[in-house]
């Protein structure tokens, strides 16, 4: 791949092997619990929990997207939480301190409980205003989620990495919402870029996946060792589906980001909508920092906003025809949910997280406007 290749070119070619006559461009999934292994055991492929050629190709592909200009290793996991846990549990020891976001993904409190149980000190601060910066002294690891899910606050990743570096702390960035085409944490100074590939990376709502990318081979080895120890390994079929999905990553994230911005613009005209957030909106509190570190105008596919109360939000969700009521985000089909129903996020009862898909924008906007009208009790057709 040439250094000047664009993101779309990179995405379609990422991780493909050199062409071999009469072979497919992306070889199919390799289903193997073990490999022929005569004599002394030596890699690359020995046992199915350690390595698999379908993972190798996917890891190569994600690495090319996360870090096209410097060598990086990627380790795939069967879910985003598998990847998150691999970094935290491979890097932290009893007596260490870690700084987590207080407004990150709602499973982080579960991780916190587990870490504290192992004697790790957990400090938390909000993503906005780079507040985590004040807690890095004496910490071993700073964990960033930017944009944060579901509130969509953003922190200045370069600035936080500088502060962490000065304090001797490692930095991991959860890059789930942005995808590697929207943000390259390793270029911004992070040690680890971690993501749930279940979301926009694979984008079809049919695969659970996670990955960790890093440039330091010792860190990569520690994460790989954790995968072997925990036995949290990706099925070859899922890995192959994920790799196939990467070919359309640029098309999807560009369309979804454009649709999300169009929807956010329409929502700001609605009097019943408050707390509207999307980092691509010029007036969003996160926009300036996001624009300085996110790539190609790709501010993600999520729009968050609040309707007057729970009943209003439920009427809205029930009236949508083109937006599925479902959790998760990043898929080609738009989806939305009242986030408060899970009880894990500090959000108002009427808070909606809407994940924008690749539908025709006019159809999507019309559906959302109609559902909002219905939820307000206006006549609807
Ligand atoms: C920001 C973020 N990180 C990590 C995860 C965990 O990913 P998975 O559900 O694939 O385990 C999620 C899931 O929603 C997420 O939103």
């Amino acid at each position: 791949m040439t250094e000047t290749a664009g993101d779309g070119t990179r995405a379609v070619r990422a991780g493909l092997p050199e062409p071999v006559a009469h072979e497919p461009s992306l070889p199919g999934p390799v289903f193997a619990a073990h490999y022929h292994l005569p004599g002394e055991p030596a890699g690359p492929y020995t046992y199915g929990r350690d390595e698999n050629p379908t993972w190798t190709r996917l890891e190569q592909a994600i690495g090319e997207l996360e870090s096209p200009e410097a060598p990086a290793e990627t380790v795939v996991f069967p879910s985003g939480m598998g990847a998150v846990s691999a970094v935290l549990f491979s890097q932290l020891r009893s007596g260490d301190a870690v700084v987590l976001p207080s407004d990150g993904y709602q499973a982080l409190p579960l991780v916190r409980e587990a870490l504290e149980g192992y004697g790790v000190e957990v400090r938390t601060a909000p993503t906005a205003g780079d507040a985590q910066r004040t807690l890095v002294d004496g910490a071993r690891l700073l964990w960033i989620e930017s944009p944060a899910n579901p509130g969509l606050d953003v922190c200045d990743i370069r600035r936080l990495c500088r502060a962490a570096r000065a304090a001797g702390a490692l930095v991991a960035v959860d890059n789930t919402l942005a995808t590697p085409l929207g943000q390259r944490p390793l270029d911004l100074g992070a040690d680890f870029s971690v993501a749930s590939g279940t979301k926009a990376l694979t984008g079809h709502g049919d695969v659970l996946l996670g990955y960790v990318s890093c440039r330091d081979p010792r860190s990569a080895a520690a994460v790989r060792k954790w995968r072997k120890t925990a036995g949290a390994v990706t099925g070859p079929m899922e890995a192959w589906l994920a790799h196939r999905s990467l070919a359309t990553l640029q098309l999807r994230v560009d369309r979804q980001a454009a649709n999300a911005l169009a929807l956010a613009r329409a929502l700001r005209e609605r009097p019943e909508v408050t707390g509207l957030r999307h980092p691509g909106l010029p007036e969003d509190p996160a926009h300036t920092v996001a624009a300085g570190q996110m790539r190609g105008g790709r501010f993600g596919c999520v729009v968050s906003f609040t309707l007057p109360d729970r009943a209003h939000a439920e009427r809205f969700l029930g009236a949508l025809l083109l937006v599925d009521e479902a959790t998760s985000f990043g898929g080609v089909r738009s989806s939305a949910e009242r986030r408060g129903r899970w009880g894990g996020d500090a959000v108002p009862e009427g808070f909606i997280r809407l994940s924008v898909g690749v539908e025709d924008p006019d159809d999507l906007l019309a559906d959302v406007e109609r559902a909002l009208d219905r939820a307000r009790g206006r006549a609807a057709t």
Side-chain angles (χ1 to χ4, degrees), residues 28-174:
V30 174
F31 298 98
H34 57 87
Y35 305 84
H36 289 295
L37 190 64
E40 287 301 308
Y45 300 107
T46 58
Y47 183 58
R49 178 159 38 79
D50 297 346
E51 284 301 347
N52 175 293
T54 311
W55 305 347
T56 309
R57 280 189 282 273
L58 175 62
E59 290 172 343
Q60 176 72 31
I62 295 172
E64 286 172 20
L65 300 177
E66 281 281 350
S67 182
E69 273 140 43
E73 280 188 58
T74 295
V75 187
V76 291
F77 287 87
S79 70
M81 285 315 294
V84 169
S85 301
V87 172
L88 292 167
F89 291 95
S90 68
Q91 299 302 313
L92 296 169
R93 299 284 176 270
S94 176
D96 285 344
V98 60
V99 183
L100 300 181
S102 52
D103 52 346
Y105 176 52
Q106 63 166 2
L108 286 183
L110 299 177
V111 174
R112 174 184 193 150
E113 204 182 307
L115 289 170
E116 287 177 340
Y118 290 127
V120 174
E121 181 198 340
V122 180
R123 309 170 183 171
T124 61
T127 299
D130 302 339
Q132 289 175 277
R133 202 169 59 102
T134 59
L135 303 180
V136 292
D137 273 350
R140 158 102 179 123
L141 179 70
L142 166 64
W143 188 274
I144 293 170
E145 191 178 305
S146 183
N149 167 29
L152 301 180
D153 272 321
V154 161
C155 57
D156 184 333
I157 297 175
R158 287 188 196 86
R159 184 175 183 224
L160 283 172
C161 288
R162 276 197 301 274
R165 190 82 54 232
L170 296 167
V171 181
V173 176
D174 186 322

Side-chain angles (χ1 to χ4, degrees), residues 224-296:
R224 254 180 230 290
K225 187 173 167 194
W226 172 263
R227 180 173 68 181
K228 181 180 169 110
T229 308
V233 295
T234 312
M237 190 67 200
E238 282 76 5
W240 183 82
L241 278 171
H243 199 162
R244 191 178 77 150
S245 300
L246 290 184
T248 55
L249 182 62
Q250 187 225 30
L251 297 175
R252 289 184 282 108
V253 295
D254 282 358
R255 171 73 165 227
Q256 288 176 259
N259 278 359
L261 186 56
L263 180 68
R265 287 203 169 108
L267 287 174
R268 78 185 163 191
E269 308 303 324
R270 301 288 308 205
E272 71 274 50
V273 166
T274 56
L276 175 65
R277 296 298 305 268
H278 177 66
L281 276 179
E283 70 272 26
D284 189 278
H287 181 71
T288 307
V289 177
Q293 64 193 17
M294 297 184 78
R295 305 178 61 252

